[in-house]
Amino acid sequence: MDPLIALADAERKPYWLDSPDNPEPLRRLFEHTTADLVVVGGGFSGLWTALIAKERDPSLDVVLLEGRRVGWAASGRNGGFCGASLTHGLGNGLARWPREIAALVRMGRENLDEIERTVARHGIDCGFERTGELHVATEPWQLGAMAGEADIARELDMDVRLLDAGQVRAEVGSPTYAGGVWDRDGCAMIDPARLAWGLRDACLSAGVRVYERTPVRSIRDDGTALHLSTPHADVRAAKVALGTGVFPPLLGRLRSFLVPVYDYALMTEPLSAAQLGAVGWRNRQGIGDGANQFHYYRLTEDNRILWGGYDAVYYNGGIVREEYDQNDATFAKLAEHFFTTFPQLADVRFTHRWGGVIDTCSRFSAFFGTAHHGRLAYAVGYTGLGVGPTRFGANVMLDLLSGEPTERTELRMVREKPVPFPPEPLRSGVIQLTRWSIARADAQQGRRNLWLRTLDRLGLGFDS
């Protein structure tokens, strides 16, 4: 099918948020108040922080402030891959923290286990399926790195299987696959919006005071407490956890470390039994390919295919605008790639197309810190793989606010910061050169030019 015809009737809204399960909004904050802990941001970072804070100490008075609606931004727009990796994949973790990688893998697995237990304990209906993830090679040059990582993964007690072309195509039928690796339990598929709404309900049940449509305009330190200003009322907080992602930070020091990158996705109509049979996919794994500009895709509960990735778009100047949530050129490109990957689904149409902004940092994985003499903690920079790791980040923020060292706070990953991005307009030039170089590497059997090799040596990167 012509990609433009397949897209013709697609709604311009995130599929997950276009749901009858979307709850009614909670009230705004209208009266001045105080709290032991104020959590800023109603995405996964903030929701996990508020819930875990009450689990640690039920007597704690916790307030969560969300500028719009819980889960409306990245937490409700992503692909629904809830992974165990805390480091944006094993390869990135090995490159940056090789001496800690065993501990990071263990902590990541424990974190995903606890997410699964939390979903069950609170009865959160988010379609949780711990099916794992297939990392597929679509070009021969990708196979060597996959095999090397699989060897190390097995040494770290990860449940992985290396698959040749025939074996991976037996799992999911695509003529583009040259081989792959199946991480069998390191990733779960979820409905991210329903997870966010379920965590909201869990927070409310635990006694968290949640206010939606209440953006925090500023934070002021009076020397003994922090004062958060909102449109209609102020909050005096003993401590603050900041989980606002890429949006203009309430802490100025974060601006040099974060850039906003737009990621885009499509959702198909439900596949018929015959269409699903033509693809296979009996084990329902999430899938990501091995290119630098990679695609990610998965099945939903009703057997739609979510298809996203490839373009990581940075708009010069680093401006965040709602109109950037739609990008017709990228949607057409994604649809074309979909039909190349699954030619047997040539008659499938798309029902939804959307985009959203991601908080990207130069090391691809979250970083952490404190401000205001330890009364404020933050976790940002998840770079598109935050559904699972945000729970780990919530624990890090609460550890940092407690002032007591833990195994988490002793990690180099937690103690170190990424390399900052240069200021504009140099930032835009550097990022666009990097995007061009990444595309060129994919077109030349993975060969990285001098610019990318230089960034590799400096520990810098750009990804979504």
Side-chain angles (χ1 to χ4, degrees), residues 104-397:
L104 288 166
V105 167
R106 171 180 53 79
M107 290 182 186
R109 187 182 301 118
E110 292 169 351
N111 183 65
L112 181 56
D113 291 343
E114 186 53 41
I115 291 173
E116 185 170 11
R117 286 192 288 266
T118 301
V119 166
R121 185 167 64 249
H122 291 281
I124 298 174
D125 179 15
C126 63
F128 191 100
E129 293 184 282
R130 195 156 175 177
T131 54
E133 184 176 3
L134 277 173
H135 303 274
V136 298
T138 55
E139 297 285 348
W141 63 264
Q142 300 163 13
L143 292 169
M146 284 188 180
E149 279 193 26
D151 284 343
I152 295 174
R154 284 191 288 263
E155 291 181 36
L156 294 169
D157 297 322
M158 295 172 66
D159 184 6
V160 301
R161 284 182 55 197
L162 187 63
L163 307 177
D164 62 24
Q167 290 169 322
V168 74
R169 293 181 190 188
E171 289 293 329
V172 182
S174 172
T176 66
Y177 296 166
V181 174
W182 183 6
D183 179 355
R184 291 165 60 89
D185 72 346
C187 192
M189 299 296 105
I190 61 160
D191 179 324
R194 280 161 45 200
L195 176 59
W197 301 331
L199 289 173
R200 187 191 83 156
D201 290 344
C203 285
L204 292 170
S205 296
V208 177
R209 291 185 283 152
V210 181
Y211 299 96
E212 295 185 314
R213 299 167 295 171
T214 303
V216 176
R217 304 299 193 196
S218 63
I219 299 177
R220 178 176 60 86
D221 189 342
D222 70 3
T224 59
L226 299 177
H227 297 261
L228 294 85
S229 175
T230 78
H232 305 292
D234 292 344
V235 187
R236 185 179 189 273
K239 295 179 180 179
V240 171
L242 200 58
T244 51
V246 73
F247 294 97
L250 294 162
L251 192 63
R253 70 183 65 173
L254 299 180
R255 289 189 176 91
S256 62
F257 294 106
L258 296 173
V259 297
V261 176
Y262 278 80
D263 183 52
Y264 296 94
L266 305 174
M267 186 70 82
T268 73
E269 61 192 351
L271 302 188
S272 68
Q275 289 169 328
L276 188 59
V279 177
W281 219 336
R282 293 175 300 279
N283 290 307
R284 302 181 60 81
Q285 310 96 323
I287 302 176
D289 66 49
N292 293 298
Q293 291 180 291
F294 62 92
H295 304 88
Y296 57 85
Y297 40 112
R298 48 77 56 95
L299 290 170
T300 64
E301 288 178 284
D302 60 350
N303 293 327
R304 300 168 184 263
I305 296 177
L306 179 144
W307 179 267
Y310 189 76
D311 267 351
V313 181
Y314 178 77
Y315 293 94
N316 288 342
I319 299 170
V320 176
R321 291 178 178 163
E322 286 196 29
E323 55 261 41
Y324 293 159
D325 291 350
Q326 296 291 319
N327 186 322
D328 285 346
T330 293
F331 294 143
K333 190 183 302 179
L334 283 173
E336 179 184 348
H337 295 171
F338 175 88
F339 292 120
T340 299
T341 301
F342 296 122
Q344 65 271 51
L345 300 180
D347 57 342
V348 166
R349 300 176 72 96
F350 299 100
T351 63
H352 292 76
R353 48 181 157 180
W354 73 94
V357 65
I358 293 168
D359 56 334
T360 297
C361 70
S362 63
R363 74 182 196 186
F364 306 152
S365 55
F367 64 96
F368 315 89
T370 61
H372 297 293
H373 307 286
R375 287 190 289 271
L376 180 148
Y378 59 84
V380 289
Y382 289 96
T383 315
L385 289 182
V387 175
T390 45
R391 185 188 176 278
F392 174 83
N395 271 309
V396 170
M397 284 194 283

Side-chain angles (χ1 to χ4, degrees), residues 84-90 92-94 96-111 156 158 363 365 368 392 396 407-408 410-414:
S85 176
L86 305 175
T87 60
H88 206 276
L90 179 60
N92 192 51
L94 283 166
R96 299 182 187 280
W97 305 290
R99 296 183 180 180
E100 293 182 347
I101 195 63
L104 288 166
V105 167
R106 171 180 53 79
M107 290 182 186
R109 187 182 301 118
E110 292 169 351
N111 183 65
L156 294 169
M158 295 172 66
R363 74 182 196 186
S365 55
F368 315 89
F392 174 83
V396 170
E407 184 183 18
R408 284 181 289 261
E410 294 302 304
L411 291 168
R412 281 184 56 207
M413 176 191 178
V414 171

